[in-house]
Amino acid sequence: EDQVTQSPEALRLQEGESSSLNCSYTVSGLRGLFWYRQDPGKGPEFLFTLYSAGEEKEKERLKATLTKKESFLHITAPKPEDSATYLCAVPPNSGYSTLTFGKGTMLLVSP
Amino acid sequence: EAGVTQSPTHLIKTRGQQVTLRCSPISGHTSVYWYQQALGLGLQFLLWYDEGEERNRGNFPPRFSGRQFPNYSSELNVNALELEDSALYLCASSLTVRQGADIQYFGAGTRLSVL
């Protein structure tokens, strides 16, 4: 069974204190890894898709990277508005199945 | 361009009642997905519809059902509501190119409270 594990479960940072979130996966034949941001009581917002090891994508203070077994979401000089739960998800390696989501990392950035 | 829209935004029901949630996908998207997110838990996959057909179903009892209409909008029906059905129900839509590996775009969700 495909597994997606995110760590840490929660992370508290001071404004400007950079850090990284981790997403490890066990699916073989990765067909992509997705990062989402979810604010409380709202639907997840798509951030990035990564398709191959070594690939990197950036958006404002966020940078996502991918290796063969895990992905990192690096947050540089975060601001309070970056506070949210960050989810990663992977699709199955084949067939009509859909994304498996991790449980997320809840990020709180204090001013 | 309009995103995924869901209605209603909030619902309060009592145990044993039935509820219908609605979802309109992004224009051009043919796949619709339903997820349940209970408080403090992750996204649990419920159902996936594409071109009017059910493509996959998560580990939920048969009282959770749905359908997709010719215009690709979708309904999620939950019968015989139980207290543990209280959750945020999320709908997502996507193109259908990568068979389950397409980017899913989410609506704002319907918050269901069962009393």
Side-chain angles (χ1 to χ4, degrees), chain A residues 31 34 36 38 43 96-98, chain B residues 37 56 98-101 104 107:
Chain A
R31 294 196 294 150
F34 301 81
Y36 288 83
Q38 186 176 23
Y96 275 102
S97 186
T98 185
Chain B
Q37 189 174 37
N56 203 352
R98 293 175 173 262
Q99 293 186 1
Q104 296 182 19

Side-chain angles (χ1 to χ4, degrees), chain A residues 36-80:
Chain A
Y36 288 83
R37 167 193 170 128
Q38 186 176 23
D39 292 303
K42 297 186 178 180
E45 174 191 351
F46 171 72
L47 293 173
F48 305 110
T49 306
L50 302 167
Y51 289 107
S52 56
E55 188 176 359
E56 298 183 353
K57 287 192 177 173
E58 290 188 61
K59 180 179 181 180
E60 296 181 355
R61 295 174 293 281
L62 301 176
K63 183 170 78 172
T65 62
L66 182 65
T67 72
K68 288 185 178 180
K69 289 297 181 185
E70 58 191 348
S71 177
F72 293 93
L73 185 65
H74 306 278
I75 303 175
T76 302
K79 297 182 178 181

